[in-house]
Amino acid sequence: MATTCRANAALLTQSTMGRKFVVGGNWKMNGTKAQINEILGFLKAGPLNADTEVVIGVPAIYLDYVKSNAPANVEVAAQNAYKAEKGAFTGETSPLMLKDIGVNWVILGHSERRQIFGESDELIAEKVAFALSNGLKVIACIGETLEERDAGKSEEVVFRQTQAIANQIKDWSNVVLAYEPVWAIGTGKTATPQQAQEVHQSLRQWISKNISPEVANAVRIQYGGSVTGANAKELGSQADIDGFLVGGASLKPEFVSIVNARQ
């Protein structure tokens, strides 16, 4: 039994080591050029852990500016993209446009898109599939509300949202899943490292059973929800947490310490 436990632990360590830690900063609808220059200043000063992939989600109007001025070790992501190449979709941005200015990442399915703008699981999944088919890398967000958590439906909701994406795509190599309990976003409330790990572990087991063990071992799952410099290290030490998707803290110098949580 002890030998089996050690073997399982070794396998877990190997699979975790194979997944590069990835920290995303979602600026949401924040920033002026002056503020952006301050953020880029502390990102350039760093230093940022070379073993961590860093992606910042920028308002569409500033994508080109940030892409042109960000340090080479920081990737730039759009916060949204539509499921069409072009057309009569006022106010939307296409993956083709993002690629045209050198942006290779997009955040899709954020809880604010789901809750405020009414985006369904199916629409988000279609947007994920279209973005991937056009060569973008995707941070796909999933997570339950406080009401759903209190009703004991956390896993049910997270599995349903992931299944919608799985119905649309076959290749997961350019997908990062971001588990963000909606009740912990911008509230100051944070899932304990154990609570977050529990959902991440359950999700990885669900992926292994319903998609494939290979995808389960390879796909990176971020945690998002009031991540700070103070709690990042303990959250990042959990076996199935492969990074963070950070909101407000990504606008502040403490974002550097969050990026470096695994050092």
Side-chain angles (χ1 to χ4, degrees):
M1 179 65 74
T3 302
T4 302
C5 290
R6 284 196 297 272
N8 289 341
L11 287 171
L12 177 60
T13 301
Q14 289 169 9
S15 63
T16 302
M17 288 174 62
R19 298 192 299 268
K20 187 170 186 176
F21 206 66
V22 54
V23 175
N26 180 12
W27 293 1
K28 305 190 180 184
M29 197 175 71
N30 292 294
T32 61
K33 279 191 177 179
Q35 291 171 319
I36 288 168
N37 289 337
E38 290 180 10
I39 296 169
L40 295 180
F42 66 66
L43 289 175
K44 289 174 182 176
L48 305 177
N49 185 355
D51 293 327
T52 295
E53 192 167 11
V54 184
V55 185
I56 49 176
V58 176
I61 194 170
Y62 294 122
L63 280 168
D64 202 13
Y65 180 77
V66 175
K67 179 66 180 175
S68 299
N69 292 282
N73 57 345
V74 174
E75 292 279 351
V76 177
Q79 297 176 10
N80 190 30
Y82 196 55
K83 59 172 183 175
E85 184 176 290
K86 58 183 179 179
F89 306 105
T90 301
E92 290 291 339
T93 303
S94 76
L96 185 69
M97 294 171 179
L98 298 177
K99 294 290 289 185
D100 190 44
I101 61 169
V103 171
N104 297 314
W105 283 85
V106 62
I107 301 169
L108 295 172
H110 190 278
S111 62
E112 290 155 5
R113 299 301 310 178
R114 295 176 186 268
Q115 303 295 320
I116 299 171
F117 300 100
E119 295 190 1
S120 66
D121 294 349
E122 290 69 27
L123 174 59
I124 291 162
E126 289 170 356
K127 287 163 70 168
V128 169
F130 191 75
L132 292 171
S133 71
N134 281 270
L136 291 180
K137 299 176 182 179
V138 176
I139 295 176
C141 303
I142 55 177
E144 82 282 13
T145 64
L146 179 59
E147 292 76 18
E148 289 165 337
R149 185 175 187 84
D150 287 347
K153 294 183 177 180
S154 293
E155 292 184 355
E156 176 187 331
V157 171
V158 169
F159 297 164
R160 184 197 75 223
Q161 293 169 342
T162 308
Q163 181 65 64
I165 297 170
N167 290 342
Q168 295 286 337
I169 70 171
K170 293 290 183 275
D171 184 357
W172 287 77
S173 58
N174 285 324
V175 177
V176 173
L177 287 174
Y179 166 63
E180 29 165 48
V182 180
W183 51 271
I185 297 174
T187 63
K189 297 180 180 178
T190 309
T192 66
Q194 293 72 30
Q195 287 174 323
Q197 164 60 17
E198 184 179 328
V199 177
H200 281 239
Q201 184 179 48
S202 296
L203 177 58
R204 203 175 298 281
Q205 290 170 346
W206 181 91
I207 292 170
S208 181
K209 180 179 178 181
N210 293 277
I211 301 175
S212 79
E214 292 75 21
V215 170
N217 283 331
V219 72
R220 293 177 291 175
I221 307 175
Q222 296 173 311
Y223 171 75
S226 298
V227 177
T228 67
N231 61 26
K233 197 167 285 289
E234 190 176 1
L235 283 164
S237 70
Q238 304 301 307
D240 289 290
I241 296 179
D242 304 311
F244 309 115
L245 184 58
V246 183
S250 68
L251 305 171
K252 305 171 185 176
E254 72 173 306
F255 185 61
V256 172
S257 63
I258 295 172
V259 169
N260 296 333
R262 275 270 179 96
Q263 276 187 332

